[in-house]
Amino acid sequence: MASSDPLCYTVIIDDGAESPSTSDLRSALQKGSDEVKQDTLRKIIVSTINGNPQPQLLMPVIQYVMPSKNKQLKKLLHFYWEVCPKYDDNGKLKQEMILVVNAIRNDLQHPNEYIRGATLRFLQKIAKDVEVLEPLIPICRSCLEHRHSYVRKNAVFAVYSIYSQFENLIPDAPELIQTFLAAESDATCKRNAFVFLANCAMPKAVEYILQVFDQIPSMDELLQMSIIEVIRLDCKTETSHRARYILLISELLNASSHAVKYDAATTLTSLTQNPAAVKAAASCYINLVAKESDNNAKLIVLDRLDALRSRHGHVLDGLVMDILQILTSTDLEVRRKAISIVLSMVSSRNVEEVVLFLKKQLQKTQEQDFEKAPEYRQLLIQSIHVCAIRFSEVAATVVHALMDFLGDSNNPSALDVVAFVREVVEKFPALRTTICEKLIQTLSEIKSGKVYRGVLWILGEYAETTSEIHQTFQELRKVIGELPILASEQRLLDETDVDDEEKKDDVKTEAAKPRVLADGTYATETAFTSTRLEAVKAASKPPLRTLILGGDFFTGTVLSSALTKLVLRHAEQSTESKGTNTLRAEAMLIMASVIRVGQSKFVNVPIDEDSSERIMNCIATLSDLEGKPAVQELFLKDTKSAYSKMLSAQEKKAAEKKDAETSKAVAVQVDDLLTFRQFSKKAADDLVDDREDLSRATGAREAHEDFISNLSRISQLTGFSDPIYAEAYVKVHGFDILLDVLLVNQTANTLQNLCLDFATLGDLKLVERPSTYTIAPHSFQSIKATIKVSSTETGVIFGSILWEGPGMSEQCVILNDIHIDIMDYIKPAYCTEAQFRSMWTEFEWENRVNVSTTMPGPRDYLRHVMKATNMSCLTPEGAISGECDFLSANMYARSLFGEDALANLSVERTESGTIIGHVRIRSKTQGIALSLGDRITMAQKDNKPPV
């Protein structure tokens, strides 16, 4: 809320039930028991907060509730005095309030310390009512000397609140509190008094720090944190005590409290850039992460440590091994954050130690009782991958260790190993021979089809010598099993012993039933199941054979391609045609076996047309080794060069991203002040300013928007000829929508009891109901309303204006609807291809938007959609560059509420020049998918994104 709005200390939810009449409430206050009075007073408070103050109940409350000694009633009375109307129409204090002030005065002198303390707390909330406070000042001062600490600590803050609003009421408050602080022994009272000095008399707070300088390390945690805060504020100005402050903060790094340690480390880096101090602060952060039990606190401290590393570069390199000790934490997010910090600090001096530690952690993940082992193993493999690619000297030491995990049952870990090995084998030619030998040995241990495809591609590309080719064929025979596959499976079926004669012909025939084919059409399927056939299928088989019989014919096509490459390379290198022909015949037999068994009853799913055609192409290539040199070049050179280009593009993109981060251009306006570097101090780290953080979080210090932007957010709610003209300025701030409504009375009559009533549609919630107003003829009234947003869904705000017309008749104007734009909540985001595919499979809501537009080209339409939906394009620039009439691209965005939005755009340009196709949007919730689809449809109509 804006700073000009009155502060609200008490919020009570209205249950929506019908509120009783004033006479009923008066009767309940007069005749009811203490419990009935409590319930009645609650209803009166809620009614007052909701804009119906009922001033006629003030005297009954004073008469029947105020004399009660019930402590719950006294507490409720404090809430009531806070919100009840204390002034009459002329702005003068009501006469009844004299009785209230006298009662408060008596409570401030009450022998019960709880009542005294609670009353002092209540005074902090009415600190703006000077006429109420003035008679109570002497009693407040005397409470500073009360025997009980609960009274004294509340008395300090009561004096603080009064002095902040009206210094003239207690002009000597700083001296009073300074004397109180010197004589006080209670830790909380001392902290409250010090906070008063810090906010109202900074020089006296600094003076106190210097007086008790040597005792600060042994003081209470709360007071230590307040002292650190004062040091931060004092160092914003030119202070002569900076050196002593640094010494004190350094001592507080060893405090027993984690909060004090964190504050001290943060403050130390803002006071000095000395490498020793920065290193001490970083060590403190690491120690905090190791000892703190709360994972959220660990992540916050790690963020601070990462920010420190980014500013101070190699100063912290010596602490890499200390940071790695954080990996003993059981939380995966903490481990991931710690490893990301370590990877940014790895250098040629410490890379071997880091990789050795990561390898040891990798071995530990194989233990049975290791928590979240598969996810942690995948994280470690990815980290070792990054280190090995950046520092070639460790690649040879880790690649063989990682290849032991190719047979890992956790598929993502094994896939990461394959990606790592593929990159290493391309970038480091010297390691190719040993890597290929190791891969050949591990073929029998692999269980996943995706991993097999990666390994077969590597062997097909990088098994270059004839001995390696022969070893590969030999190992492939083992993992495929007996050939031909169909004949061996049929023989196994025929040889299956049937013990029971009745089972010999135990064939069950099911009725014909419809089946959906891969292309979406229906076919009739008659299923024949046999106990013998099921037994043959369930028998133990070599791993690659199992995958093929299970219907993984994509792996079969990769196998065929790898075999073709190996045979072609052997023909190039070997002069012995007999050996080449032997390999060629065996490769063609394997390929033919895959096609034949794919068309038989032994597979779970028949072979698809694409896989069959691909394998047939490989057979045709092998059948004519000499006839088609272009095809041979395609198999032997083009695929490898395509992968090399892809790696180069990734490296270039990473380098560009790094350059963009390091060299951020700062635009300087022509009328900016000149800064002379010689006259400025060397900047330390940014000072931590909690007040500025709070103001940013609450929106009190918003960036100024330009006038045109503000005008575009104004919605007209009524017509110019209506009795009341209304328009609203819609301001979106985080999860809140602030409506600033301007009402203009266009009549010559006074509009009484005018009420602006809002209602919402969608995931919007009205926080508070506006009060009733009286507007003079041709006068203005500004009303603010806050609405909470809970999800990314197009919301609608509608409502009406009600007021009393002539003769107490109710009159009404219906407002135009306000549509909330979800683009305020959707921001571009990025994810990997694997993450995109995983989310695409997982998300259940899909919205398909047909495309038909006259835009010049597919790429123009892609940019148009990205601008209209705030989505980022995940498809690399190289994949969509060049002139082409077809375009397919993936897009991704994330909302402020953490909702993911995926989109796939597939369009083509027809001969007539129009762009046709579709955009498929997927999300976890229906609202964001529908809203983005509407946005694209609206943007498509006028060929420009809505502003």
Side-chain angles (χ1 to χ4, degrees), residues 411-458:
N411 200 26
S413 298
L415 286 175
D416 286 332
V417 174
V418 168
F420 166 62
V421 173
R422 189 168 55 201
E423 195 167 345
V424 168
V425 84
E426 169 62 28
K427 289 190 173 182
F428 307 112
L431 300 176
R432 288 178 183 173
T433 302
T434 55
I435 289 176
C436 286
E437 289 176 359
K438 180 71 174 176
L439 286 177
I440 293 168
Q441 294 170 9
T442 56
L443 276 174
S444 58
E445 301 171 6
I446 300 172
K447 305 177 182 67
S448 164
K450 289 184 178 180
V451 179
Y452 254 120
R453 293 196 287 271
V455 172
L456 289 172
W457 186 88
I458 295 171

Side-chain angles (χ1 to χ4, degrees), residues 408-524:
D408 194 352
S409 57
N410 181 36
N411 200 26
S413 298
L415 286 175
D416 286 332
V417 174
V418 168
F420 166 62
V421 173
R422 189 168 55 201
E423 195 167 345
V424 168
V425 84
E426 169 62 28
K427 289 190 173 182
F428 307 112
L431 300 176
R432 288 178 183 173
T433 302
T434 55
I435 289 176
C436 286
E437 289 176 359
K438 180 71 174 176
L439 286 177
I440 293 168
Q441 294 170 9
T442 56
L443 276 174
S444 58
E445 301 171 6
I446 300 172
K447 305 177 182 67
S448 164
K450 289 184 178 180
V451 179
Y452 254 120
R453 293 196 287 271
V455 172
L456 289 172
W457 186 88
I458 295 171
L459 290 174
E461 294 292 346
Y462 300 101
E464 295 172 340
T465 63
T466 54
S467 62
E468 289 174 354
I469 294 171
H470 282 290
Q471 288 176 15
T472 305
F473 265 87
Q474 185 177 353
E475 195 64 30
L476 284 174
R477 290 187 201 109
K478 296 179 183 177
V479 296
I480 293 173
E482 186 181 351
L483 293 172
I485 301 175
L486 178 58
S488 60
E489 291 292 311
Q490 185 64 48
R491 188 174 68 253
L492 185 62
L493 178 62
D494 295 339
E495 292 175 357
T496 302
D497 292 327
V498 181
D499 296 335
D500 193 351
E501 230 175 78
E502 295 178 2
K503 294 182 181 179
K504 188 179 295 182
D505 298 318
D506 185 16
V507 179
K508 301 176 184 177
T509 306
E510 294 183 0
K513 60 180 181 180
R515 170 168 159 63
V516 182
L517 298 180
D519 60 355
T521 59
Y522 288 92
T524 302

Side-chain angles (χ1 to χ4, degrees), residues 32 122 256 340 388 578 807 811 847:
F122 161 66
S256 58
S340 70
K578 182 180 178 182
Q811 297 192 1
N847 185 15

Side-chain angles (χ1 to χ4, degrees), residues 160 163-164 167 170-179 181 192-209 230 233-234 245 691:
Y160 173 32
Y163 183 78
S164 300
E167 290 186 19
I170 317 178
D172 62 336
E175 292 77 14
L176 179 68
I177 298 298
Q178 186 180 26
T179 308
L181 181 58
N192 289 4
F194 186 78
V195 168
F196 173 93
L197 295 180
N199 289 277
C200 300
M202 177 64 80
K204 294 187 183 299
V206 173
E207 182 184 337
Y208 176 75
I209 291 175
V230 169
L233 295 173
D234 192 36
Y245 287 158
R691 292 180 180 179

Side-chain angles (χ1 to χ4, degrees), residues 237-248:
T237 61
E238 290 295 331
T239 177
S240 58
H241 309 301
R242 184 180 289 266
R244 296 191 69 184
Y245 287 158
I246 292 172
L247 182 63
L248 172 62

